[in-house]
Amino acid sequence: MASYDPKTALIVVDIQNDFADPKGSLYVREGEKVVDVANREADRARAAGALLVYTQDWHPEVTPHFKKFGGVWPVHCVRETWGAQPPPRLKVDGEILRKGTGGEDGYSGFTVQDPVDGEKKPTHLEALLRKRGIERVAIVGLATDYCVKETALDALRLGFATTVLREGVRAVNLHPGDGERALEEIRAAGGQVE
Ligand code: VGL
Ligand code: ZN
């Protein structure tokens, strides 16, 4: 189990209907199972004075992130729609960080990337964590092989001690084993997977 204190942030990554509800357009198998883990970790984090941050994939209707506009994904998490909302059972109590809002690929909570020219730009997540004196992050959410992986690798690159809670993440597994490989990459980069 992750341990929390005021220098730790729990980052709850993209627990939104399109990923976590079996009716979602980019449903991640067993995605609904991470909701209880996220709520439990949030309670523990809050009790220990840790910072809570919820990231949300928040796309415009038209974006090269989507297959029909040249990207790879079905339409998902279009801002203000049901698919972009967190499941009703997820208790959202903390900072909300929306990414991909300008049509970028927003896999990492820390950076967004223009899918056309590849240009990367930071979100305000790092500044938020620095301002609060955060040194460690714990990560749960969806999906292991995309947003969780990129968020964890960026956190490590930025110098945050990073733990991913295995029971609190699930993978898309576009190719079998992608989720396990993502966890391996996080470990190889110095992260803890527990
Ligand atoms: C995600 C695919 C496309 C994620 C977001 O949250 O992992 N995956 N957009
Ligand atoms: Zn997306």
Side-chain angles (χ1 to χ4, degrees):
M1 271 216 255
S3 60
Y4 297 99
D5 60 26
K7 292 189 169 181
T8 302
L10 171 65
I11 306 180
V12 177
V13 174
D14 296 10
I15 305 188
Q16 295 167 267
N17 287 325
D18 271 339
F19 301 124
D21 188 298
K23 292 190 295 297
S25 63
L26 191 41
Y27 173 58
V28 177
R29 202 163 71 91
E30 297 187 348
E32 69 281 9
K33 295 201 174 163
V34 306
V35 174
D36 290 337
V37 181
N39 286 339
R40 182 197 72 205
E41 291 302 313
D43 286 344
R44 296 182 59 235
R46 197 178 302 107
L51 177 68
L52 277 72
V53 182
Y54 294 79
T55 69
Q56 297 181 341
D57 218 24
W58 202 256
H59 298 300
E61 271 173 57
V62 176
T63 164
H65 183 65
F66 296 157
K67 202 180 290 167
K68 65 176 179 178
F69 304 109
V72 291
W73 303 108
V75 172
H76 64 276
C77 297
V78 173
R79 59 190 176 208
E80 312 297 348
T81 63
W82 171 84
Q85 298 305 320
R89 282 194 306 116
L90 183 72
K91 183 169 160 202
V92 180
D93 176 15
E95 304 274 345
I96 294 177
L97 186 129
R98 291 178 170 156
K99 60 193 172 58
T101 56
E104 314 90 340
D105 283 334
Y107 297 122
S108 166
F110 290 96
T111 45
V112 292
Q113 182 164 25
D114 188 301
V116 179
D117 66 18
E119 192 199 343
K120 282 197 174 185
K121 285 192 220 123
T123 67
H124 66 269
L125 181 55
E126 183 189 0
L128 172 72
L129 301 188
R130 301 274 184 226
K131 191 175 71 190
R132 299 284 290 262
I134 298 299
E135 296 173 358
R136 292 173 286 278
V137 300
I139 299 177
V140 296
L142 303 169
T144 316
D145 35 359
Y146 294 93
C147 291
V148 167
K149 175 176 109 173
E150 297 302 330
T151 300
L153 293 178
D154 267 349
L156 288 161
R157 183 176 55 78
L158 294 167
F160 297 100
T162 301
T163 300
V164 174
L165 292 163
R166 182 185 271 281
E167 70 168 322
V169 298
R170 291 294 187 280
V172 175
N173 284 328
L174 220 48
H175 310 283
D178 280 355
E180 282 308 311
R181 277 190 291 276
L183 295 176
E184 267 315 309
E185 262 187 76
I186 292 165
R187 266 197 220 99
Q192 298 251 33
V193 177
E194 57 173 58

PDB file of all heavy atoms in Angstrom, residues 13-14 19 26 57 59 65 73 76 99 106-107 142-143 146-148 172, ligand 1:
ATOM      1  N   VAL A  13      -5.825   9.111 -12.355  1.00  0.00           N
ATOM      2  CA  VAL A  13      -5.708   9.380 -13.788  1.00  0.00           C
ATOM      3  C   VAL A  13      -6.952   8.938 -14.559  1.00  0.00           C
ATOM      4  O   VAL A  13      -7.298   7.742 -14.569  1.00  0.00           O
ATOM      5  CB  VAL A  13      -4.459   8.656 -14.352  1.00  0.00           C
ATOM      6  CG1 VAL A  13      -4.385   8.788 -15.871  1.00  0.00           C
ATOM      7  CG2 VAL A  13      -3.182   9.196 -13.715  1.00  0.00           C
ATOM      8  N   ASP A  14      -7.631   9.863 -15.166  1.00  0.00           N
ATOM      9  CA  ASP A  14      -8.643   9.601 -16.202  1.00  0.00           C
ATOM     10  C   ASP A  14      -9.673   8.524 -15.860  1.00  0.00           C
ATOM     11  O   ASP A  14      -9.998   7.688 -16.707  1.00  0.00           O
ATOM     12  CB  ASP A  14      -7.950   9.220 -17.527  1.00  0.00           C
ATOM     13  CG  ASP A  14      -7.100  10.352 -18.085  1.00  0.00           C
ATOM     14  OD1 ASP A  14      -6.883  11.344 -17.379  1.00  0.00           O
ATOM     15  OD2 ASP A  14      -6.643  10.232 -19.242  1.00  0.00           O
ATOM     16  N   PHE A  19     -13.839   5.345 -20.285  1.00  0.00           N
ATOM     17  CA  PHE A  19     -12.828   4.322 -19.992  1.00  0.00           C
ATOM     18  C   PHE A  19     -13.322   3.308 -18.940  1.00  0.00           C
ATOM     19  O   PHE A  19     -12.933   2.147 -18.971  1.00  0.00           O
ATOM     20  CB  PHE A  19     -11.549   4.964 -19.430  1.00  0.00           C
ATOM     21  CG  PHE A  19     -10.901   5.967 -20.342  1.00  0.00           C
ATOM     22  CD1 PHE A  19     -10.663   7.273 -19.911  1.00  0.00           C
ATOM     23  CD2 PHE A  19     -10.499   5.624 -21.625  1.00  0.00           C
ATOM     24  CE1 PHE A  19     -10.054   8.206 -20.734  1.00  0.00           C
ATOM     25  CE2 PHE A  19      -9.883   6.549 -22.459  1.00  0.00           C
ATOM     26  CZ  PHE A  19      -9.658   7.842 -22.009  1.00  0.00           C
ATOM     27  N   LEU A  26     -14.427   3.783 -25.118  1.00  0.00           N
ATOM     28  CA  LEU A  26     -13.051   3.262 -25.104  1.00  0.00           C
ATOM     29  C   LEU A  26     -12.862   2.490 -23.801  1.00  0.00           C
ATOM     30  O   LEU A  26     -11.890   2.655 -23.072  1.00  0.00           O
ATOM     31  CB  LEU A  26     -12.066   4.434 -25.243  1.00  0.00           C
ATOM     32  CG  LEU A  26     -10.584   4.182 -25.511  1.00  0.00           C
ATOM     33  CD1 LEU A  26     -10.347   3.067 -26.517  1.00  0.00           C
ATOM     34  CD2 LEU A  26      -9.906   5.455 -25.985  1.00  0.00           C
ATOM     35  N   ASP A  57      -9.230  13.340 -19.325  1.00  0.00           N
ATOM     36  CA  ASP A  57      -9.078  13.487 -20.757  1.00  0.00           C
ATOM     37  C   ASP A  57     -10.274  14.355 -21.179  1.00  0.00           C
ATOM     38  O   ASP A  57     -11.413  14.031 -20.841  1.00  0.00           O
ATOM     39  CB  ASP A  57      -9.198  12.073 -21.374  1.00  0.00           C
ATOM     40  CG  ASP A  57      -8.261  11.829 -22.534  1.00  0.00           C
ATOM     41  OD1 ASP A  57      -7.222  12.507 -22.628  1.00  0.00           O
ATOM     42  OD2 ASP A  57      -8.575  10.934 -23.350  1.00  0.00           O
ATOM     43  N   HIS A  59     -11.449  16.192 -24.469  1.00  0.00           N
ATOM     44  CA  HIS A  59     -11.211  16.520 -25.877  1.00  0.00           C
ATOM     45  C   HIS A  59     -12.303  17.377 -26.503  1.00  0.00           C
ATOM     46  O   HIS A  59     -13.481  17.223 -26.164  1.00  0.00           O
ATOM     47  CB  HIS A  59     -11.116  15.221 -26.694  1.00  0.00           C
ATOM     48  CG  HIS A  59      -9.985  14.327 -26.290  1.00  0.00           C
ATOM     49  ND1 HIS A  59      -8.671  14.726 -26.354  1.00  0.00           N
ATOM     50  CD2 HIS A  59      -9.968  13.052 -25.814  1.00  0.00           C
ATOM     51  CE1 HIS A  59      -7.897  13.727 -25.945  1.00  0.00           C
ATOM     52  NE2 HIS A  59      -8.654  12.704 -25.599  1.00  0.00           N
ATOM     53  N   HIS A  65      -6.644  13.526 -32.522  1.00  0.00           N
ATOM     54  CA  HIS A  65      -6.478  12.418 -31.569  1.00  0.00           C
ATOM     55  C   HIS A  65      -7.439  11.278 -31.939  1.00  0.00           C
ATOM     56  O   HIS A  65      -7.179  10.123 -31.610  1.00  0.00           O
ATOM     57  CB  HIS A  65      -6.791  12.983 -30.185  1.00  0.00           C
ATOM     58  CG  HIS A  65      -6.629  12.070 -29.019  1.00  0.00           C
ATOM     59  ND1 HIS A  65      -5.420  11.549 -28.623  1.00  0.00           N
ATOM     60  CD2 HIS A  65      -7.537  11.610 -28.106  1.00  0.00           C
ATOM     61  CE1 HIS A  65      -5.600  10.821 -27.526  1.00  0.00           C
ATOM     62  NE2 HIS A  65      -6.872  10.824 -27.203  1.00  0.00           N
ATOM     63  N   TRP A  73      -7.797   6.778 -32.129  1.00  0.00           N
ATOM     64  CA  TRP A  73      -8.791   6.400 -31.122  1.00  0.00           C
ATOM     65  C   TRP A  73     -10.224   6.656 -31.573  1.00  0.00           C
ATOM     66  O   TRP A  73     -10.482   7.611 -32.293  1.00  0.00           O
ATOM     67  CB  TRP A  73      -8.545   7.181 -29.827  1.00  0.00           C
ATOM     68  CG  TRP A  73      -7.176   6.980 -29.290  1.00  0.00           C
ATOM     69  CD1 TRP A  73      -6.152   7.876 -29.276  1.00  0.00           C
ATOM     70  CD2 TRP A  73      -6.665   5.787 -28.694  1.00  0.00           C
ATOM     71  NE1 TRP A  73      -5.040   7.329 -28.700  1.00  0.00           N
ATOM     72  CE2 TRP A  73      -5.327   6.047 -28.336  1.00  0.00           C
ATOM     73  CE3 TRP A  73      -7.210   4.524 -28.421  1.00  0.00           C
ATOM     74  CZ2 TRP A  73      -4.517   5.081 -27.730  1.00  0.00           C
ATOM     75  CZ3 TRP A  73      -6.400   3.572 -27.809  1.00  0.00           C
ATOM     76  CH2 TRP A  73      -5.078   3.862 -27.480  1.00  0.00           C
ATOM     77  N   HIS A  76     -13.865   9.731 -27.818  1.00  0.00           N
ATOM     78  CA  HIS A  76     -14.019   9.484 -26.381  1.00  0.00           C
ATOM     79  C   HIS A  76     -13.757  10.760 -25.598  1.00  0.00           C
ATOM     80  O   HIS A  76     -13.062  11.667 -26.074  1.00  0.00           O
ATOM     81  CB  HIS A  76     -13.030   8.397 -25.909  1.00  0.00           C
ATOM     82  CG  HIS A  76     -11.600   8.828 -26.072  1.00  0.00           C
ATOM     83  ND1 HIS A  76     -10.932   8.691 -27.258  1.00  0.00           N
ATOM     84  CD2 HIS A  76     -10.738   9.441 -25.224  1.00  0.00           C
ATOM     85  CE1 HIS A  76      -9.700   9.176 -27.133  1.00  0.00           C
ATOM     86  NE2 HIS A  76      -9.560   9.653 -25.907  1.00  0.00           N
ATOM     87  N   LYS A  99      -6.899  17.753 -19.665  1.00  0.00           N
ATOM     88  CA  LYS A  99      -5.816  17.752 -20.666  1.00  0.00           C
ATOM     89  C   LYS A  99      -6.352  17.331 -22.026  1.00  0.00           C
ATOM     90  O   LYS A  99      -7.371  16.657 -22.112  1.00  0.00           O
ATOM     91  CB  LYS A  99      -4.691  16.827 -20.217  1.00  0.00           C
ATOM     92  CG  LYS A  99      -5.159  15.411 -20.039  1.00  0.00           C
ATOM     93  CD  LYS A  99      -4.155  14.560 -19.309  1.00  0.00           C
ATOM     94  CE  LYS A  99      -4.736  13.209 -18.988  1.00  0.00           C
ATOM     95  NZ  LYS A  99      -5.199  12.447 -20.148  1.00  0.00           N
ATOM     96  N   GLY A 106      -3.278  14.117 -25.063  1.00  0.00           N
ATOM     97  CA  GLY A 106      -2.904  14.423 -23.686  1.00  0.00           C
ATOM     98  C   GLY A 106      -2.765  13.150 -22.900  1.00  0.00           C
ATOM     99  O   GLY A 106      -3.582  12.854 -22.067  1.00  0.00           O
ATOM    100  N   TYR A 107      -1.744  12.374 -23.174  1.00  0.00           N
ATOM    101  CA  TYR A 107      -1.605  11.120 -22.426  1.00  0.00           C
ATOM    102  C   TYR A 107      -1.104  11.377 -21.022  1.00  0.00           C
ATOM    103  O   TYR A 107      -1.615  10.839 -20.060  1.00  0.00           O
ATOM    104  CB  TYR A 107      -0.678  10.142 -23.150  1.00  0.00           C
ATOM    105  CG  TYR A 107      -1.201   9.711 -24.502  1.00  0.00           C
ATOM    106  CD1 TYR A 107      -0.463   9.915 -25.650  1.00  0.00           C
ATOM    107  CD2 TYR A 107      -2.447   9.100 -24.613  1.00  0.00           C
ATOM    108  CE1 TYR A 107      -0.940   9.518 -26.889  1.00  0.00           C
ATOM    109  CE2 TYR A 107      -2.941   8.711 -25.848  1.00  0.00           C
ATOM    110  CZ  TYR A 107      -2.177   8.927 -26.981  1.00  0.00           C
ATOM    111  OH  TYR A 107      -2.652   8.541 -28.200  1.00  0.00           O
ATOM    112  N   LEU A 142      -6.606   5.009 -15.235  1.00  0.00           N
ATOM    113  CA  LEU A 142      -6.701   4.381 -16.553  1.00  0.00           C
ATOM    114  C   LEU A 142      -6.007   5.257 -17.598  1.00  0.00           C
ATOM    115  O   LEU A 142      -6.067   6.476 -17.494  1.00  0.00           O
ATOM    116  CB  LEU A 142      -8.184   4.221 -16.922  1.00  0.00           C
ATOM    117  CG  LEU A 142      -9.012   3.409 -15.886  1.00  0.00           C
ATOM    118  CD1 LEU A 142     -10.492   3.535 -16.202  1.00  0.00           C
ATOM    119  CD2 LEU A 142      -8.579   1.947 -15.855  1.00  0.00           C
ATOM    120  N   ALA A 143      -5.427   4.681 -18.561  1.00  0.00           N
ATOM    121  CA  ALA A 143      -5.154   3.259 -18.689  1.00  0.00           C
ATOM    122  C   ALA A 143      -3.658   3.025 -18.457  1.00  0.00           C
ATOM    123  O   ALA A 143      -2.836   3.863 -18.812  1.00  0.00           O
ATOM    124  CB  ALA A 143      -5.536   2.791 -20.098  1.00  0.00           C
ATOM    125  N   TYR A 146      -1.245   3.795 -21.354  1.00  0.00           N
ATOM    126  CA  TYR A 146      -1.236   5.115 -21.991  1.00  0.00           C
ATOM    127  C   TYR A 146      -1.068   6.207 -20.946  1.00  0.00           C
ATOM    128  O   TYR A 146       0.043   6.627 -20.632  1.00  0.00           O
ATOM    129  CB  TYR A 146      -2.484   5.320 -22.881  1.00  0.00           C
ATOM    130  CG  TYR A 146      -2.427   4.363 -24.045  1.00  0.00           C
ATOM    131  CD1 TYR A 146      -3.049   3.122 -23.975  1.00  0.00           C
ATOM    132  CD2 TYR A 146      -1.651   4.657 -25.156  1.00  0.00           C
ATOM    133  CE1 TYR A 146      -2.921   2.204 -25.011  1.00  0.00           C
ATOM    134  CE2 TYR A 146      -1.512   3.757 -26.191  1.00  0.00           C
ATOM    135  CZ  TYR A 146      -2.148   2.532 -26.113  1.00  0.00           C
ATOM    136  OH  TYR A 146      -1.999   1.635 -27.120  1.00  0.00           O
ATOM    137  N   CYS A 147      -2.184   6.651 -20.384  1.00  0.00           N
ATOM    138  CA  CYS A 147      -2.091   7.838 -19.527  1.00  0.00           C
ATOM    139  C   CYS A 147      -1.378   7.569 -18.213  1.00  0.00           C
ATOM    140  O   CYS A 147      -0.648   8.427 -17.721  1.00  0.00           O
ATOM    141  CB  CYS A 147      -3.465   8.437 -19.322  1.00  0.00           C
ATOM    142  SG  CYS A 147      -4.075   9.158 -20.876  1.00  0.00           S
ATOM    143  N   VAL A 148      -1.578   6.382 -17.636  1.00  0.00           N
ATOM    144  CA  VAL A 148      -0.857   6.071 -16.392  1.00  0.00           C
ATOM    145  C   VAL A 148       0.643   5.998 -16.682  1.00  0.00           C
ATOM    146  O   VAL A 148       1.469   6.595 -15.982  1.00  0.00           O
ATOM    147  CB  VAL A 148      -1.376   4.751 -15.777  1.00  0.00           C
ATOM    148  CG1 VAL A 148      -0.442   4.249 -14.678  1.00  0.00           C
ATOM    149  CG2 VAL A 148      -2.793   4.949 -15.235  1.00  0.00           C
ATOM    150  N   VAL A 172      -5.440  -0.965 -21.617  1.00  0.00           N
ATOM    151  CA  VAL A 172      -6.173  -1.128 -22.875  1.00  0.00           C
ATOM    152  C   VAL A 172      -5.741  -2.439 -23.542  1.00  0.00           C
ATOM    153  O   VAL A 172      -6.557  -3.182 -24.084  1.00  0.00           O
ATOM    154  CB  VAL A 172      -5.888   0.054 -23.836  1.00  0.00           C
ATOM    155  CG1 VAL A 172      -6.560  -0.163 -25.195  1.00  0.00           C
ATOM    156  CG2 VAL A 172      -6.363   1.384 -23.234  1.00  0.00           C
TER     157      VAL A 172
HETATM  158  C1  VGL B   1      -6.157   7.473 -22.907  1.00  0.00           C
HETATM  159  C2  VGL B   1      -6.209   6.633 -25.030  1.00  0.00           C
HETATM  160  C3  VGL B   1      -6.615   7.840 -25.510  1.00  0.00           C
HETATM  161  C4  VGL B   1      -5.915   7.221 -21.449  1.00  0.00           C
HETATM  162  C5  VGL B   1      -6.566   8.695 -23.385  1.00  0.00           C
HETATM  163  O1  VGL B   1      -6.495   7.945 -20.606  1.00  0.00           O
HETATM  164  O2  VGL B   1      -5.151   6.285 -21.120  1.00  0.00           O
HETATM  165  N1  VGL B   1      -5.961   6.450 -23.746  1.00  0.00           N
HETATM  166  N2  VGL B   1      -6.797   8.870 -24.687  1.00  0.00           N
END
